[in-house]
Amino acid sequence: MRVLIVDDHPIIVAGCSAMLAGEGDIEVFNARDAETGLVAFQSHKPDVTVVDIAMPGPSGLELTRRILDCDPAARIVVFSMNDDPIFAARAIEAGAKGYVTKNDDPYLLLKAVREVAEGGVFLMPKIANQLAFEKSGGAVSPLSALTGRELEILRMLGAGLGMAEIAEATQVSYKTIANSCSIMKRKLGARTPMELMKIALEQKLA
């Protein structure tokens, strides 16, 4: 099996690579951001691609969309620090087949990679239960009203990027980003881009 890991944290990449390669039947490749990740995907044609959400430039959600544009049959697992179930929901909506958080047992990633490689879907029980709870009318994340693209923009605002920089990174127009920010302000009750940035930091998006 060929697995590509796209993550900008060298220690995480090294640890995950060692764990997966130690299985004996897994060949591991890695990349550090969305741009090099897409190139690596096209070059190595992995059976499973593991992507982080929060990376410099375009996020793992955006990379997921770009990979699936190249190969609709691609199998992707999102591996993130964020355990808010809304991110798992947006990852699955973007086309990912699995979602694993970095603060859980690392062998869950191995389990997810194997299940997704076999054509399955993997969500940690805790995340799956939280998603079911929200759908049944339980407590709702303040981010639940945002689309995947809006979450991406909010994360970048939290990282200190301006709208022109976000437009360049996401390959859409400045006007589209500005319109998205206006919509997010209404959804989140924010009055200014600075308040959006504050929300991003409070929700630990950046």
Side-chain angles (χ1 to χ4, degrees):
M1 186 196 313
R2 297 157 69 86
V3 176
L4 170 63
I5 299 174
V6 187
D7 195 305
D8 65 318
H9 295 89
I11 294 175
I12 288 175
V13 171
C16 292
S17 296
M19 177 185 67
L20 294 173
E23 290 292 292
D25 64 334
I26 299 178
E27 185 178 8
V28 183
F29 307 91
N30 63 76
R32 297 296 172 85
D33 55 38
E35 283 84 3
T36 58
L38 185 59
V39 172
F41 175 84
Q42 294 167 330
S43 299
H44 299 299
K45 297 179 171 54
D47 298 291
V48 178
T49 301
V50 177
V51 301
D52 185 17
I53 286 185
M55 296 185 289
S59 74
L61 295 180
E62 180 64 23
L63 176 58
T64 295
R65 286 188 282 268
R66 293 181 188 181
I67 287 175
L68 290 169
D69 282 344
C70 292
D71 180 3
R75 293 169 176 173
I76 300 169
V77 174
V78 171
F79 189 43
S80 173
M81 287 294 295
N82 202 309
D83 59 4
D84 188 324
I86 193 62
F87 283 87
R90 295 298 177 261
I92 299 303
E93 287 171 9
K97 299 298 184 184
Y99 191 94
V100 180
T101 59
K102 294 178 180 178
N103 52 4
D104 278 289
D105 185 340
Y107 283 93
L108 284 173
L109 176 62
L110 174 61
K111 184 176 180 182
V113 165
R114 291 206 178 277
E115 288 198 15
V116 170
E118 292 172 2
V121 174
F122 183 89
L123 278 178
M124 296 183 306
K126 178 176 68 176
I127 294 284
N129 289 341
Q130 286 175 310
L131 285 173
F133 180 64
E134 288 194 0
K135 286 181 179 178
S136 68
V140 177
S141 164
L143 303 177
S144 61
L146 302 186
T147 65
R149 174 54 60 83
E150 288 165 354
L151 274 174
E152 164 88 344
I153 294 169
L154 187 62
R155 182 190 68 81
M156 290 184 170
L157 285 172
L161 275 66
M163 287 194 285
E165 293 171 301
I166 296 172
E168 182 178 357
T170 55
Q171 300 178 347
V172 299
S173 70
Y174 179 92
K175 183 178 180 181
T176 296
I177 298 301
N179 287 343
S180 294
C181 286
S182 295
I183 292 169
M184 284 193 293
K185 283 189 283 189
R186 288 199 297 272
K187 288 181 176 180
L188 298 174
R191 292 169 294 178
T192 66
M194 286 298 294
E195 289 187 4
L196 287 177
M197 182 185 295
K198 182 180 178 184
I199 290 170
L201 295 173
E202 289 173 345
Q203 296 296 321
K204 300 179 182 178
L205 300 187

